[in-house]
């Protein structure tokens, strides 16, 4: 293995290890970014869709809080 290959391999391992140790919300964000980028989703479309998702999730949290009160 060349020094460059060792560095790339180590860098990839470090990145994976760092992500494994990252908070769950960071892991999910990375997964979502990867999904959007690999599917070549237009950033404006993605942001509009994320606003819809955010509104939906906020409504679910509100209903959950109302039920617990």
């Amino acid at each position: 293995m060349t020094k460059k290959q060792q560095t790339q391999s180590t860098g990839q391992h470090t990145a994976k290890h760092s992500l494994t140790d990252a908070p769950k919300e960071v892991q999910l964000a990375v997964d979502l970014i990867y999904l959007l980028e690999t599917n070549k989703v237009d950033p404006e479309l993605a942001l509009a869709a994320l606003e819809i998702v955010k509104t939906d999730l906020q409504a679910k949290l509100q209903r959950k809080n109302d039920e617990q009160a």
Side-chain angles (χ1 to χ4, degrees):
M1 185 181 289
T2 68
K3 188 170 184 173
K4 182 177 180 182
Q5 289 171 322
Q6 288 173 337
T7 302
Q8 288 174 336
S9 177
T10 303
Q12 290 169 352
H13 177 70
T14 302
K16 283 185 179 182
H17 183 67
S18 296
L19 186 55
T20 303
D21 294 338
K24 295 288 185 192
E25 63 272 20
V26 172
Q27 293 177 19
L28 179 57
V30 170
D31 288 343
L32 292 171
I33 291 167
Y34 177 78
L35 178 68
L36 294 169
E37 288 181 354
T38 57
N39 287 288
K40 298 180 176 139
V41 176
D42 177 72
E44 289 182 22
L45 176 61
L47 285 172
L50 288 169
E51 283 298 322
I52 294 168
V53 171
K54 182 178 179 180
T55 300
D56 180 67
L57 292 173
Q58 287 174 328
K60 286 178 183 176
L61 283 175
Q62 186 61 51
R63 284 192 300 274
K64 182 179 176 182
N65 290 337
D66 291 345
E67 290 171 2
Q68 293 176 353

